[in-house]
C-alpha cells in the first residue's frame, strides 16, 4: 500500500509540533496534506537521509540542489508557508535540542530513520562550497568566494539579469504592470547613483566591485566621467572590457582585476560601491571604509549601496545563513544599516543621506526569477541543474525576505568633508513627494 506521504506528514507534524501547511507527494506516488496547497515533492528516500544527517536549512538545501526535493505549484507561496515552520524555527538550536527531549519527538525521529532506509550520509551536491582552513576575508579567500559566485558563465547571467547586466537592486519608477521594465529600472538606478555622486565631465570615478561594467559605462557615456572599475572576477572583467570597447569608451573606462585594497592611484572625485560591501565582512569593514576614505579627494563622495539585515538583541548570536554561505555567497555577511553608518563615520566620512529601497529589491528579484524560469532549458545547458536550482531558490526566497522586511537594502551617501566643513551638497539633497 502506498502510504509514504501520510507517514511523512504525521512524522513531520510530530517533529514540528504544528500542522504541515503544504501538501506532500512521496516517491511511491502517495499524497497527503491540505488540498489545493503547493506540493512538496519528495522524490526519494535520500532526501530524508539528508535531513537526518543535517537537520534544518542545510539538509533541506542539499536535498533541493540535488533534485531530491521539489515544489509543485507556486514556489513563492510554498516558501512563504514553510518559512515559519522550518527556516525561522531552525535558527534556534535550543528549540531543536529541547524538542528532542520530548519522547514523542524522539519516537518520530526513529520513525523517520526507519522510513529513510540505510543510514548512510549522502555526499553533498558538487555545487556546495568546499571549505578550506584559514582566515576569512583575506585577499586569497575573497578571490575564491567571488569566483564561486560570479564565474559561473556570463551567458547564464545574461539570462537572469537581462540586457542591463546589472546584478543589484533596480530602482523602479513604475512597476511592470504600469509599463516599467527591468532594463528601465536598472538604468534609473545607475542614473540615481550618478546624481547622488554629482558626477560631471572630467571627474574620476572608482567603481568598486564593477561587475559587468554597467555603472562604469553609464557614468562615462552619460556624464563624461573617467572611470576605473575593479573586480575580482576574471569572467566579469573580460565581459566588461568587451562592452567598454563596443561602446567606444576605452579612452575613458579602465576595467581591472584588482582587490580594492590594492588600488593606489587616488585621489578620486567619487566612489560607487554597489552590492559589493556584503562581501567585505564585519572584521574588515572599518578597513574597507578607511581605504575608500583615503582614495577620495576632500569633498569627494561615496555612494555605498548595500543589503542590510535586521539588528538582533544579541548581536553575538548572528550567524551567516547556511544555504547562502554554502551555495551562493561564501563568506558573505550582512550588517544592520546602523552598523554600516557607524563604521563609515568612524573612518572619517560624514553620512549625508540614507535611502531604503527595500521594496525595489523584491520587484527586481521576482523579475530575475521570471527571466530564469522563462529560459530554464537554456540555463540547464549553460550550468549544472544544481546550480540553476540554487539560483532559483535563493532569488525567490530573497524576494520574500525583502517583502517581509527580514532584510533590506540601503543607499548611503557619504562625503569626505574637508576641514572647512563645506560638504558641497545642497541644503536639500532630495525632494519628498
Amino acid at each position: 500500500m502506498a502510504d509514504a506521504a501520510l507517514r511523512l506528514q504525521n512524522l513531520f507534524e510530530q517533529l514540528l509540533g504544528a500542522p504541515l501547511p503544504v501538501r506532500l507527494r512521496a516517491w511511491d506516488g502517495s499524497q497527503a496534506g491540505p488540498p489545493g496547497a503547493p506540493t512538496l515533492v519528495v522524490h526519494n528516500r535520500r532526501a530524508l537521509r539528508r535531513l537526518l544527517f543535517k537537520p534544518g536549512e542545510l539538509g533541506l538545501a542539499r536535498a533541493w540542489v540535488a533534485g531530491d526535493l521539489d515544489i509543485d505549484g507556486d514556489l513563492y507561496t510554498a516558501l512563504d508557508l514553510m518559512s515559519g515552520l522550518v527556516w525561522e524555527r531552525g535558527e534556534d538550536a535550543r528549540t531543536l535540542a529541547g524538542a528532542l527531549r520530548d519522547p514523542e519527538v524522539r519516537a518520530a525521529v526513529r520513525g523517520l530513520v526507519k522510513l529513510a532506509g540505510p543510514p548512510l550520509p549522502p555526499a553533498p551536491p558538487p555545487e556546495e562550497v568546499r571549505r578550506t582552513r584559514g582566515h576569512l576575508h583575506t585577499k586569497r579567500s575573497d578571490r575564491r568566494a567571488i569566483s564561486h559566485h560570479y564565474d559561473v558563465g556570463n551567458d547564464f547571467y545574461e539570462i537572469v539579469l537581462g540586457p542591463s547586466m546589472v546584478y543589484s537592486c533596480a530602482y523602479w519608477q513604475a512597476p511592470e504592470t504600469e509599463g516599467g521594465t527591468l532594463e528601465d529600472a536598472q538604468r534609473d538606478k545607475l542614473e540615481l547613483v550618478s546624481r547622488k555622486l554629482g558626477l560631471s565631465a572630467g571627474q574620476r570615478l572608482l567603481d568598486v566591485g564593477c561587475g559587468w561594467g554597467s555603472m562604469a559605462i553609464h557614468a562615462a557615456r552619460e556624464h563624461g566621467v573617467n572611470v576605473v572599475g575593479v573586480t575580482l572576477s576574471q569572467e566579469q572583467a573580460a565581459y566588461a572590457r568587451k562592452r567598454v570597447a563596443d561602446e567606444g569608451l576605452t579612452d575613458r573606462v579602465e576595467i581591472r582585476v584588482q582587490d580594492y585594497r590594492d588600488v593606489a592611484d587616488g585621489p578620486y572625485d567619487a566612489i560607487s560601491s554597489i552590492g559589493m560591501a556584503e562581501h567585505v565582512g564585519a572584521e574588515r569593514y572599518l578597513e574597507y571604509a578607511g581605504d575608500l576614505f583615503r582614495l577620495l579627494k576632500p569633498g569627494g563622495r561615496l555612494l555605498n549601496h548595500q543589503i542590510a539585515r535586521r539588528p538582533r538583541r544579541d548581536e553575538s548570536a548572528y550567524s551567516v545563513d547556511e544555504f547562502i554561505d554554502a551555495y551562493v555567497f561564501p563568506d558573505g555577511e550582512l550588517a544592520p544599516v546602523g552598523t554600516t553608518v557607524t563604521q563609515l563615520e568612524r573612518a572619517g566620512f560624514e553620512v549625508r543621506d540614507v535611502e531604503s529601497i527595500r521594496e525595489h529589491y523584491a520587484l527586481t528579484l521576482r523579475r530575475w526569477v521570471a527571466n530564469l524560469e522563462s529560459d530554464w532549458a537554456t540555463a540547464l545547458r549553460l550550468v549544472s541543474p544544481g546550480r540553476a536550482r540554487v539560483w532559483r531558490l535563493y532569488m525567490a526566497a530573497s524576494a520574500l525576505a525583502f517583502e517581509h522586511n527580514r532584510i533590506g537594502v540601503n543607499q548611503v551617501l557619504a562625503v569626505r568633508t574637508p576641514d572647512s566643513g563645506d560638504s558641497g551638497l545642497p541644503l536639500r539633497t532630495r525632494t519628498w513627494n
Side-chain angles (χ1 to χ4, degrees):
M1 181 179 177
D3 64 351
L6 183 58
R7 293 170 64 191
L8 279 175
Q9 180 190 19
N10 292 334
L11 291 171
F12 284 152
E13 290 182 349
Q14 280 184 281
L15 288 169
L16 297 170
L20 199 63
V22 294
R23 193 163 176 79
L24 282 174
R25 185 164 72 241
W27 57 89
D28 62 355
S30 61
Q31 298 192 46
T39 300
L40 180 64
V41 183
V42 185
H43 286 297
N44 50 58
R45 297 174 189 265
R46 186 171 57 246
L48 306 185
R49 294 198 289 276
R50 292 191 188 280
L51 290 172
L52 286 167
F53 281 97
K54 277 292 181 181
E57 184 172 339
L58 187 56
L60 283 167
R62 286 176 172 175
W64 171 269
V65 174
D68 301 328
L69 287 179
D70 212 337
I71 297 292
D72 186 0
D74 185 70
L75 178 61
Y76 295 102
T77 302
L79 292 175
D80 216 8
L81 289 171
M82 292 192 296
S83 63
L85 284 176
V86 181
W87 286 277
E88 294 171 13
R89 181 176 302 199
E91 290 177 358
D92 191 345
R94 291 171 298 180
T95 299
L96 293 173
L100 288 174
R101 288 194 291 268
D102 187 322
E104 291 187 6
V105 172
R106 290 201 302 271
V109 171
R110 288 194 295 270
L112 197 58
V113 169
K114 184 177 180 181
L115 190 59
L120 295 175
E127 293 80 10
E128 186 168 313
V129 172
R130 300 298 185 261
R131 293 295 181 186
T132 57
R133 293 184 178 181
H135 295 290
L136 295 180
H137 301 297
T138 63
K139 293 177 183 179
R140 182 180 180 183
S141 69
D142 281 353
R143 280 196 303 272
R144 285 198 304 266
I146 293 299
S147 179
H148 172 86
H149 186 78
Y150 294 102
D151 292 340
V152 299
N154 293 326
D155 291 344
F156 175 76
Y157 275 105
E158 284 181 341
I159 290 174
V160 175
L161 304 180
S164 68
M165 287 300 283
V166 180
Y167 193 26
S168 55
C169 175
Y171 193 72
W172 297 83
Q173 303 288 357
E176 287 187 303
T177 54
E178 298 176 13
T181 68
L182 176 62
E183 286 66 48
D184 292 338
Q186 290 292 15
R187 183 198 61 240
D188 290 344
K189 189 270 299 297
L190 298 177
E191 181 58 22
L192 177 67
V193 171
S194 299
R195 286 191 283 108
K196 287 183 176 182
L197 289 173
L199 298 182
S200 61
Q203 288 186 327
R204 296 186 74 211
L205 169 69
L206 174 64
D207 187 26
V208 180
C210 66
W212 292 271
S214 299
M215 179 63 201
I217 290 169
H218 181 89
R221 185 183 60 214
E222 304 298 329
H223 298 275
V225 177
N226 298 308
V227 188
V228 171
V230 297
T231 175
L232 294 179
S233 167
Q234 295 283 352
E235 289 193 21
Q236 282 187 335
Y239 190 98
R241 287 167 183 154
K242 183 179 185 305
R243 291 181 73 194
V244 169
D246 290 345
E247 290 276 350
L249 294 171
T250 52
D251 60 330
R252 276 187 266 166
V253 178
E254 178 187 2
I255 303 296
R256 303 174 184 168
V257 178
Q258 185 178 36
D259 193 292
Y260 72 90
R261 288 165 282 197
D262 294 329
V263 177
D265 60 347
Y268 288 87
D269 297 283
I271 297 176
S272 53
S273 179
I274 307 172
M276 176 272 174
E278 298 89 342
H279 297 286
V280 171
E283 292 185 5
R284 296 281 187 179
Y285 204 93
L286 185 58
E287 176 187 350
Y288 158 82
D291 285 342
L292 300 192
F293 183 84
R294 285 188 291 274
L295 285 166
L296 276 173
K297 73 174 188 180
R301 301 181 192 178
L302 164 69
L303 193 286
N304 191 79
H305 175 120
Q306 182 177 341
I307 298 172
R309 61 176 172 85
R310 302 293 298 166
R312 291 171 173 259
R313 292 181 181 177
D314 178 10
E315 279 293 315
S316 66
Y318 169 68
S319 61
V320 179
D321 180 280
E322 287 185 304
F323 167 59
I324 298 295
D325 191 46
Y327 288 99
V328 186
F329 292 107
D331 304 336
E333 297 178 42
L334 300 183
V337 62
T339 301
T340 296
V341 168
T342 296
Q343 294 290 62
L344 291 172
E345 289 182 328
R346 288 180 65 196
F349 282 105
E350 179 188 9
V351 172
R352 294 299 302 249
D353 187 76
V354 179
E355 182 177 6
S356 172
I357 52 175
R358 173 175 63 81
E359 294 88 348
H360 295 253
Y361 218 156
L363 291 170
T364 305
L365 284 155
R366 282 183 177 264
R367 189 65 184 89
W368 288 344
V369 172
N371 285 349
L372 178 58
E373 291 177 340
S374 67
D375 208 358
W376 185 252
T378 304
L380 294 182
R381 290 197 299 270
L382 296 173
V383 297
S384 68
R387 181 73 66 191
R389 291 172 67 82
V390 166
W391 255 246
R392 182 172 179 245
L393 177 62
Y394 112 76
M395 292 190 299
S398 296
L400 291 170
F402 281 107
E403 288 170 0
H404 293 304
N405 193 27
R406 291 194 285 268
I407 53 177
V409 61
N410 305 279
Q411 289 192 348
V412 180
L413 178 64
V415 181
R416 180 173 176 170
T417 304
D419 292 339
S420 66
D422 182 6
S423 70
L425 288 166
L427 288 177
R428 294 192 67 186
T429 55
R430 53 190 162 106
T431 302
W432 293 99
N433 292 328

Short mmCIF file of all heavy atoms in Angstrom, two decimals, residues 10-11 47 55 73 93 154 176 190 225 258-259 277 291 304 336 341 374 377 383 406 418 426 429:
data_model
loop_
_atom_site.label_atom_id
_atom_site.label_comp_id
_atom_site.label_asym_id
_atom_site.label_seq_id
_atom_site.Cartn_x
_atom_site.Cartn_y
_atom_site.Cartn_z
N ASN A 10 2.63 12.73 9.14
CA ASN A 10 2.48 12.51 10.58
C ASN A 10 3.80 12.71 11.31
O ASN A 10 3.84 13.32 12.39
CB ASN A 10 1.95 11.10 10.82
CG ASN A 10 0.52 10.93 10.34
OD1 ASN A 10 -0.25 11.89 10.27
ND2 ASN A 10 0.14 9.70 10.01
N LEU A 11 4.89 12.21 10.72
CA LEU A 11 6.19 12.34 11.36
C LEU A 11 6.64 13.80 11.41
O LEU A 11 7.12 14.29 12.44
CB LEU A 11 7.23 11.49 10.62
CG LEU A 11 7.07 9.98 10.75
CD1 LEU A 11 8.02 9.26 9.79
CD2 LEU A 11 7.33 9.52 12.18
N ALA A 47 16.37 12.10 0.23
CA ALA A 47 16.03 13.40 0.79
C ALA A 47 15.88 13.33 2.30
O ALA A 47 16.31 14.24 3.03
CB ALA A 47 14.72 13.90 0.16
N PRO A 55 20.00 18.22 9.95
CA PRO A 55 18.66 18.78 10.20
C PRO A 55 18.64 20.30 9.96
O PRO A 55 19.61 20.99 10.24
CB PRO A 55 18.42 18.45 11.67
CG PRO A 55 19.38 17.35 12.00
CD PRO A 55 20.58 17.58 11.14
N GLY A 73 3.73 23.64 -7.87
CA GLY A 73 2.86 24.76 -7.51
C GLY A 73 3.69 26.02 -7.39
O GLY A 73 4.86 26.07 -7.78
N ALA A 93 18.89 26.77 17.80
CA ALA A 93 19.32 25.41 18.09
C ALA A 93 18.75 24.92 19.42
O ALA A 93 18.50 23.73 19.61
CB ALA A 93 20.85 25.34 18.12
N ASN A 154 29.10 33.93 -18.11
CA ASN A 154 28.42 35.17 -18.42
C ASN A 154 27.11 34.93 -19.17
O ASN A 154 26.15 35.70 -19.03
CB ASN A 154 29.33 36.07 -19.25
CG ASN A 154 30.53 36.56 -18.46
OD1 ASN A 154 30.45 36.79 -17.26
ND2 ASN A 154 31.66 36.71 -19.14
N GLU A 176 6.19 46.88 -13.57
CA GLU A 176 5.94 46.42 -14.94
C GLU A 176 4.45 46.49 -15.30
O GLU A 176 4.10 46.67 -16.46
CB GLU A 176 6.46 45.00 -15.12
CG GLU A 176 7.98 44.94 -15.19
CD GLU A 176 8.49 43.57 -15.53
OE1 GLU A 176 8.16 42.64 -14.77
OE2 GLU A 176 9.19 43.41 -16.52
N LEU A 190 21.21 53.34 -12.03
CA LEU A 190 22.54 53.85 -12.35
C LEU A 190 22.54 55.38 -12.42
O LEU A 190 23.49 56.04 -11.98
CB LEU A 190 23.03 53.26 -13.68
CG LEU A 190 23.18 51.74 -13.71
CD1 LEU A 190 23.60 51.28 -15.11
CD2 LEU A 190 24.17 51.24 -12.66
N VAL A 225 32.50 61.00 -17.42
CA VAL A 225 33.42 60.73 -16.32
C VAL A 225 34.49 59.74 -16.78
O VAL A 225 34.24 58.87 -17.61
CB VAL A 225 32.63 60.16 -15.12
CG1 VAL A 225 33.56 59.79 -13.98
CG2 VAL A 225 31.61 61.18 -14.66
N GLN A 258 41.37 43.51 -9.77
CA GLN A 258 42.16 44.09 -8.67
C GLN A 258 41.32 44.13 -7.40
O GLN A 258 40.13 44.45 -7.44
CB GLN A 258 42.63 45.50 -9.05
CG GLN A 258 43.56 46.16 -8.04
CD GLN A 258 44.02 47.53 -8.51
OE1 GLN A 258 43.28 48.29 -9.14
NE2 GLN A 258 45.28 47.87 -8.23
N ASP A 259 41.94 43.84 -6.28
CA ASP A 259 41.30 43.99 -4.98
C ASP A 259 41.24 45.48 -4.64
O ASP A 259 42.20 46.21 -4.89
CB ASP A 259 42.11 43.22 -3.93
CG ASP A 259 41.37 43.05 -2.62
OD1 ASP A 259 41.16 44.07 -1.92
OD2 ASP A 259 41.00 41.91 -2.28
N ALA A 277 29.76 45.58 -0.81
CA ALA A 277 30.20 45.62 0.59
C ALA A 277 29.73 44.42 1.40
O ALA A 277 30.28 44.13 2.47
CB ALA A 277 29.74 46.93 1.24
N ASP A 291 39.91 52.59 3.57
CA ASP A 291 40.55 52.58 2.26
C ASP A 291 39.81 53.49 1.28
O ASP A 291 40.44 54.25 0.53
CB ASP A 291 40.59 51.16 1.70
CG ASP A 291 41.64 50.29 2.38
OD1 ASP A 291 42.54 50.85 3.02
OD2 ASP A 291 41.54 49.05 2.27
N ASN A 304 27.42 54.11 -1.17
CA ASN A 304 27.53 52.72 -0.72
C ASN A 304 26.14 52.09 -0.74
O ASN A 304 25.27 52.45 0.06
CB ASN A 304 28.11 52.68 0.70
CG ASN A 304 28.50 51.28 1.13
OD1 ASN A 304 29.53 50.77 0.75
ND2 ASN A 304 27.66 50.64 1.94
N PRO A 336 23.39 45.36 10.15
CA PRO A 336 22.33 46.37 10.20
C PRO A 336 22.82 47.68 9.60
O PRO A 336 24.02 48.00 9.66
CB PRO A 336 22.05 46.51 11.71
CG PRO A 336 22.59 45.27 12.32
CD PRO A 336 23.76 44.87 11.49
N VAL A 341 26.56 52.64 8.89
CA VAL A 341 26.71 54.09 9.04
C VAL A 341 27.78 54.42 10.07
O VAL A 341 28.64 55.29 9.87
CB VAL A 341 25.36 54.74 9.41
CG1 VAL A 341 25.55 56.19 9.86
CG2 VAL A 341 24.40 54.68 8.23
N SER A 374 11.72 31.45 -17.47
CA SER A 374 11.26 31.52 -18.85
C SER A 374 12.27 30.91 -19.83
O SER A 374 11.90 30.54 -20.95
CB SER A 374 10.97 32.97 -19.24
OG SER A 374 12.16 33.73 -19.27
N ALA A 377 15.39 25.85 -19.89
CA ALA A 377 16.08 24.82 -20.68
C ALA A 377 17.47 25.31 -21.09
O ALA A 377 18.45 24.54 -21.03
CB ALA A 377 15.25 24.45 -21.90
N VAL A 383 24.73 25.75 -17.24
CA VAL A 383 25.27 25.41 -15.92
C VAL A 383 24.66 24.07 -15.50
O VAL A 383 23.79 23.54 -16.17
CB VAL A 383 24.96 26.49 -14.86
CG1 VAL A 383 25.63 27.81 -15.22
CG2 VAL A 383 23.46 26.70 -14.68
N ARG A 406 12.53 41.18 6.41
CA ARG A 406 13.56 40.43 7.13
C ARG A 406 14.95 40.94 6.77
O ARG A 406 15.88 40.85 7.57
CB ARG A 406 13.42 38.94 6.85
CG ARG A 406 12.16 38.32 7.47
CD ARG A 406 12.22 36.82 7.48
NE ARG A 406 12.01 36.24 6.16
CZ ARG A 406 10.82 35.86 5.69
NH1 ARG A 406 9.73 36.01 6.45
NH2 ARG A 406 10.70 35.32 4.49
N PRO A 418 35.81 68.29 3.94
CA PRO A 418 37.08 68.91 4.32
C PRO A 418 36.97 69.65 5.65
O PRO A 418 35.88 69.84 6.20
CB PRO A 418 37.35 69.87 3.16
CG PRO A 418 36.01 70.18 2.59
CD PRO A 418 35.19 68.94 2.77
N PRO A 426 23.79 70.41 -1.67
CA PRO A 426 22.74 71.42 -1.48
C PRO A 426 22.08 71.26 -0.12
O PRO A 426 22.23 70.23 0.55
CB PRO A 426 21.77 71.12 -2.62
CG PRO A 426 21.98 69.68 -2.94
CD PRO A 426 23.44 69.42 -2.71
N THR A 429 19.02 67.47 -0.28
CA THR A 429 19.61 66.57 -1.28
C THR A 429 18.54 65.89 -2.13
O THR A 429 18.83 65.42 -3.21
CB THR A 429 20.45 65.49 -0.59
OG1 THR A 429 19.65 64.82 0.39
CG2 THR A 429 21.66 66.12 0.08
#
